[in-house]
Amino acid sequence: MAMRRAASSAVRALTASSGVNSFNRHLSSAPESKKIVGVFYKANEYASKNPNFVGCVENALGIRDWLESQGHKYIVTDDKEGANCELEKHIPDLHVLITTPFHPAYVTAERIKRAKNLQLLLTAGIGSDHIDLKAAAEAGLTVAEVTGSNVVSVAEDELMRILILVRNFLPGYHQVINGDWNVAGIAYRAYDLEGKTVGTVGAGRIGRLLLQRLKPFNCNLLYHDRLKISPELEKETGAKFEEDLDKMLAKCDIIVVNTPLTEKTWGMFNKERISKLKKGVLIVNNARGAIMDTQAVADACASGHIAGYSGDVWYPQPAPKDHPWRYMPNQAMTPHISGTTIDAQLRYAAGVKDMLDRYFKGDDFPEQHYIVRKGELASQYR
């Protein structure tokens, strides 16, 4: 419940305007020693299996030696929840907090208030909805993420999930490992992707890449967003803009969610909206779990109204063992993995290192990386 309140508080802040209060903590040249805390998932025995597996606690984005050689203190943990967790011990005196969407540390207004030395919040990856952005802006903090670092990874994963659902792959896989052989049990609901209508809710960097990757499959491509994609990309992909979200959804055989989690999109796919979708619709959601009404999705999968649901995002994360999506039929869910391929890890680790280096020197970050700067939220969160 506390986690839900924290995340709800963060999301409610996304669209609010904000000013910077009197205890402004904008970035400045920072040559003195800094305390940097990173919160990542623990890899245990897998940490040593790949030298490029940098996104875990054990390998700490590969920046420990670099930071410590410059006199900075670097604390890394996966323990992020509860009053006695490891992260809480460092809140009062840390200067920089590095978090990740794959194992999010919920940065609440209460935590920000107690973090008297905090100046910079970095997301190793894309998506900073685990942070109370209004509170960060009011505290004069800078929030930034490594924009573009895992868009290829997520778009490829979405395409894979579409094919897994369309071809009814998982029942066949389960037959093999269970020693069964029943072609009819797979074929009765396996289809071609060609000719199907696919709509993406959101056509930002990931959504645009997905449209390009779907083009060779000869689908009918639709998209809904607050902004239209370029005429050149519309022509290249054949994708058609749909201004009315519900009208687009009603046309779709397959829906892919590619929109940020904001106050407007929290619970966007509720029972009422799902009831208006085509019976037998397939849904892929690698955006954020809280965009969906959890129980409404589980009920629709159970009834067959949703014929297949796949994604890697849950609410909360990590998902509890009794989360209904673990046990609902016709699902192809995984932990939050799509954006943390080895290639993506190397990109977001390099991006974090670059921003830390700029922070130490007092230089600006690449403009597209800013989520909160000088009291202003990035446009996608307004």
Side-chain angles (χ1 to χ4, degrees):
M1 184 59 69
M3 184 182 297
R4 178 175 177 81
R5 287 197 300 268
S8 298
S9 174
V11 173
R12 285 195 301 270
L14 299 180
T15 56
S17 62
S18 57
V20 182
N21 68 13
S22 59
F23 61 105
N24 188 306
R25 290 185 266 178
H26 287 166
L27 301 189
S28 59
S29 183
E32 69 272 17
S33 176
K34 297 294 182 181
K35 182 174 183 178
I36 298 149
V37 175
V39 179
F40 312 114
Y41 53 81
K42 188 173 287 187
N44 299 311
E45 70 272 22
Y46 301 103
S48 61
K49 292 182 179 294
N50 187 331
N52 292 324
F53 187 9
V54 295
C56 57
V57 165
E58 292 85 348
N59 296 326
L61 299 184
I63 58 176
R64 181 180 296 282
D65 289 346
W66 172 70
L67 286 172
E68 292 180 349
S69 71
Q70 299 186 55
H72 303 296
K73 188 174 184 180
Y74 188 32
I75 307 294
V76 178
T77 183
D78 71 324
D79 185 17
K80 61 188 179 69
E81 301 296 341
N84 298 316
C85 71
E86 183 66 21
L87 173 59
E88 283 293 325
K89 299 175 185 177
H90 303 287
I91 290 292
D93 64 345
L94 59 79
H95 298 92
V96 180
L97 177 60
I98 307 170
T99 59
T100 171
F102 316 106
H103 187 71
Y106 292 96
V107 184
T108 63
E110 291 77 13
R111 278 179 164 170
I112 289 172
K113 186 176 181 180
R114 287 187 286 108
K116 301 300 184 183
N117 293 338
L118 181 60
Q119 294 180 317
L120 175 62
L121 290 158
L122 292 177
T123 298
I126 301 173
S128 298
D129 47 88
H130 54 284
I131 299 168
D132 188 327
L133 298 179
K134 182 175 184 292
E138 290 177 344
L141 302 178
T142 294
V143 181
E145 59 188 41
V146 191
T147 300
S149 59
N150 54 19
V151 294
V152 170
S153 313
V154 177
E156 288 183 357
D157 187 272
E158 289 176 341
L159 179 56
M160 174 191 72
R161 290 175 191 274
I162 291 170
L163 290 168
I164 284 173
L165 293 178
V166 169
R167 302 307 294 264
N168 204 24
F169 173 83
L170 280 180
Y173 170 74
H174 290 145
Q175 284 185 24
V176 170
I177 62 176
N178 292 329
D180 298 329
W181 189 279
N182 181 0
V183 173
I186 308 162
Y188 84 101
R189 47 175 288 178
Y191 297 90
D192 296 338
L193 180 54
E194 184 175 51
K196 302 301 183 292
T197 297
V198 184
T200 175
V201 182
R205 291 176 175 85
I206 296 170
R208 293 195 298 268
L209 281 177
L210 178 65
L211 292 172
Q212 290 176 309
R213 281 153 177 72
L214 284 169
K215 172 64 175 175
F217 288 89
N218 297 318
C219 305
N220 303 312
L221 299 178
L222 307 175
Y223 74 96
H224 170 82
D225 204 308
R226 59 192 177 88
L227 300 173
K228 295 184 70 173
I229 63 177
S230 69
E232 294 77 15
L233 188 57
E234 281 192 341
K235 183 177 180 181
E236 174 192 339
T237 61
K240 297 179 180 179
F241 174 70
E242 294 278 344
E243 186 172 2
D244 188 299
L245 173 61
D246 288 309
K247 286 183 179 179
M248 183 192 81
L249 295 177
K251 301 175 185 178
C252 292
D253 302 302
I254 302 157
I255 296 166
V256 186
V257 182
N258 278 310
T259 189
L261 179 61
T262 67
E263 185 178 55
K264 184 178 179 180
T265 63
W266 185 288
M268 172 188 282
F269 283 83
N270 55 22
K271 182 178 181 179
E272 180 183 1
R273 177 162 273 149
I274 289 172
S275 71
K276 296 176 182 178
L277 306 179
K278 280 187 178 182
K279 182 174 174 56
V281 69
L282 304 176
I283 299 178
V284 171
N285 176 18
N286 281 2
R288 287 294 183 267
I291 293 171
M292 320 301 290
D293 180 318
T294 298
Q295 193 59 50
V297 169
D299 292 344
C301 283
S303 72
H305 192 83
I306 295 177
Y309 184 91
S310 185
D312 70 334
V313 288
W314 308 67
Y315 182 75
Q317 289 187 185
K321 291 185 178 181
D322 63 350
H323 196 292
W325 290 357
R326 290 181 181 268
Y327 308 105
M328 65 188 183
N330 306 321
Q331 57 91 357
M333 295 295 296
T334 67
H336 195 169
I337 57 166
S338 64
T340 189
T341 62
I342 296 299
D343 305 276
Q345 289 176 47
L346 293 173
R347 288 190 291 266
Y348 62 68
V352 167
K353 182 179 180 180
D354 176 69
M355 285 190 284
L356 285 172
D357 189 46
R358 291 169 184 259
Y359 161 66
F360 298 143
K361 295 174 180 176
D363 295 339
D364 289 341
F365 301 162
E367 189 64 34
Q368 68 271 20
H369 289 355
Y370 286 108
I371 302 301
V372 174
R373 186 187 191 192
K374 298 179 180 178
E376 293 293 328
L377 301 179
S379 59
Q380 65 266 35
Y381 288 114
R382 293 175 193 161

